[in-house]
Amino acid sequence: MKIVVIGGTGLIGSNAVAKLRAEGHEAVPAAPSTGVNTLTGEGLKEVLQGADVLVDVSNSPSFADDDVMDFFTTSTTNLTAAAEEAGVGHYVALSIVGIDRMPDIGYYRAKVAQEGILRGAGLPHSIIRATQFFEFAGGIADMCTADGVVRLPAAKAQPMAAADVSTAVARTAAAEPFNGIFEIAGPESLGLDEWIRTVLESRQDARTVVTDPDALFFGGVPGQTALLPGPDVRLAQTRLAAWLTAQGEK
């Protein structure tokens, strides 16, 4: 099949493209650097010509509330219209576990809006909600650091390796449309504080991680289970310790 991957030059997209190509598909990465701009619509008609599947793993260049909302609503509106015009038979979108439980986080509100536009378009689709990636640990620590101390709530999460996310995206793209939402997550439940503390210790980062129930996470305070998937989640295999070892960090 011809599978166009919007955001196909990024962390998840580039790995998904490689996996799809290894399976014999014509996987086409699409991004501003390849001449495809989802905000303006530039290049969409051309890249989707003859496409069987569209995969959207793109991300906003700015995480400011208004910017991220504009990005996901504008780009998804343009993508669904272009996909319908091109006769695309399957639209796959990557989203986030728990976005509908934390409306105080602007990024999550934007992802909810993105999902709503896709579902409302009436296209055959699959929405994959993933938990946080192991690869985000450093950025989370930096965001939550003040005066050399990392403050995080003990809310539970099931983070996963980006490679496992890419595998799920590729498999979904090559399959029949799910026509709904399903969740993927890592195999173990960890407190946000525990997860980040483990990663920093493995990197010999001297910062102290303090457990603070009032600490903000992306601008909101998550409930104890707000970031956890539901009972029907599809679990990945990579555990945090194995990922750290593979990174040469433990």
Side-chain angles (χ1 to χ4, degrees), residues 122-236:
L123 298 168
H125 66 276
S126 301
I127 297 173
I128 308 167
R129 286 188 178 177
T131 53
Q132 291 73 32
F133 307 164
F134 292 148
E135 286 80 358
F136 292 166
I140 291 172
D142 293 343
M143 177 184 66
C144 297
T145 296
D147 298 323
V149 175
V150 183
R151 295 187 178 276
L152 283 164
K156 294 293 185 181
Q158 283 180 231
M160 62 189 300
D164 290 338
V165 179
S166 297
T167 296
V169 168
R171 287 176 177 170
T172 303
E176 292 298 314
F178 185 75
N179 286 318
I181 299 169
F182 67 89
E183 297 180 321
I184 58 175
E188 53 193 337
S189 176
L190 304 166
L192 287 174
D193 53 347
E194 176 189 8
W195 166 33
I196 302 305
R197 185 180 296 113
T198 299
V199 173
L200 294 186
E201 288 176 352
S202 75
R203 295 175 178 174
Q204 299 182 335
D205 189 313
R207 284 177 289 179
T208 299
V209 177
V210 173
T211 305
D212 181 351
D214 296 321
L216 296 178
F217 179 73
F218 288 101
V221 180
Q224 186 67 10
T225 61
L227 303 175
L228 290 176
D232 296 326
V233 62
R234 304 179 187 184
L235 295 179

Side-chain angles (χ1 to χ4, degrees), residues 48-68:
L48 289 176
Q49 186 173 358
D52 301 289
V53 182
L54 183 155
V55 175
D56 183 10
V57 293
S58 61
N59 207 351
S60 173
S62 167
F63 283 9
D65 286 1
D66 290 344
D67 293 341
V68 75

Side-chain angles (χ1 to χ4, degrees), residues 22-175:
E23 295 171 1
H25 299 289
E26 180 190 354
V28 181
S33 61
T34 70
V36 178
N37 189 317
T38 59
L39 288 176
T40 64
E42 177 188 1
L44 282 181
K45 181 176 182 179
E46 292 78 10
V47 77
L48 289 176
Q49 186 173 358
D52 301 289
V53 182
L54 183 155
V55 175
D56 183 10
V57 293
S58 61
N59 207 351
S60 173
S62 167
F63 283 9
D65 286 1
D66 290 344
D67 293 341
V68 75
M69 179 63 78
D70 179 66
F71 176 84
F72 282 117
T73 55
T74 302
S75 64
T76 306
T77 298
N78 288 337
L79 283 168
T80 52
E84 182 175 16
E85 182 179 353
V88 171
H90 188 187
Y91 190 126
V92 179
L94 181 61
S95 191
I96 308 170
V97 166
I99 55 173
D100 46 0
R101 297 193 291 265
M102 296 188 64
D104 50 337
I105 298 179
Y107 190 91
Y108 283 17
R109 292 197 300 271
K111 294 297 287 185
V112 169
Q114 177 193 27
E115 289 186 4
I117 293 169
L118 174 53
R119 293 198 306 271
L123 298 168
H125 66 276
S126 301
I127 297 173
I128 308 167
R129 286 188 178 177
T131 53
Q132 291 73 32
F133 307 164
F134 292 148
E135 286 80 358
F136 292 166
I140 291 172
D142 293 343
M143 177 184 66
C144 297
T145 296
D147 298 323
V149 175
V150 183
R151 295 187 178 276
L152 283 164
K156 294 293 185 181
Q158 283 180 231
M160 62 189 300
D164 290 338
V165 179
S166 297
T167 296
V169 168
R171 287 176 177 170
T172 303

Side-chain angles (χ1 to χ4, degrees), residues 1-3 17 19-28 170 173-174:
M1 294 187 290
K2 179 180 178 181
I3 302 174
V17 166
K19 293 175 185 295
L20 289 165
R21 286 176 175 172
E23 295 171 1
H25 299 289
E26 180 190 354
V28 181

